[in-house]
Amino acid sequence: MTEPPVDRPPVRPEHAAFAAEVAAAQDVLDAFMSAWNARDADGVRASFNFPHVRFASGQVRVLSPEQVNKSMYAGAALTEWGRSAWRRREVIHAGADKVQFDTRFARYRPDGTLISAFDSIYIVTLQDGRWGIQGRSSYAP
């Protein structure tokens, strides 16, 4: 069964001075998930800042814009995948040019049944006036 979407948690008092930055970073996470689910490599690319770093599966990958393409959807971990959804997005730290999130996302089959869920850290940065995901550390394959 599909779980309801996760609401944005309220900004904690220690991050209140950066509420606008947190909201902008949350918008980027929303845009990323929408593009990812639409299998829209251009949209995923637009939600990233580069170089983009991913820690997963015992590897560190540094992605360039050209490496964000349709081949991202070809992995064995996505063979029965229909969509993903945020289960948790809590701010760890927030500042004027960076927001770090403790996240959990779930992968679902096309029929809405759960495949798996993974804890992750997402780092959203402000570069040249634009917010984008610059780093991810995940237990996902």
Side-chain angles (χ1 to χ4, degrees), residues 46-128:
S47 70
F48 285 175
N49 276 339
F50 294 96
H52 179 89
V53 181
R54 182 173 184 246
F55 294 81
S57 303
Q59 298 180 2
V60 178
R61 294 187 58 208
V62 179
L63 300 174
S64 67
E66 298 75 30
Q67 291 170 304
V68 178
N69 55 48
K70 290 286 186 186
S71 69
M72 298 180 307
Y73 298 99
L78 299 176
T79 55
E80 52 181 341
W81 172 80
R83 67 175 189 86
S84 296
W86 296 115
R87 303 307 325 135
R88 179 182 67 243
R89 296 184 300 179
E90 296 177 6
V91 175
I92 299 170
H93 303 287
D97 62 357
K98 179 172 52 181
V99 181
Q100 299 169 348
F101 292 92
D102 171 21
T103 73
R104 183 169 181 83
F105 67 89
R107 291 180 178 159
Y108 298 92
R109 292 177 187 86
D111 69 3
T113 58
L114 178 69
I115 298 170
S116 54
F118 303 98
D119 295 319
S120 303
I121 303 293
Y122 275 63
I123 302 168
V124 183
T125 61
L126 178 64
Q127 287 185 356
D128 300 321

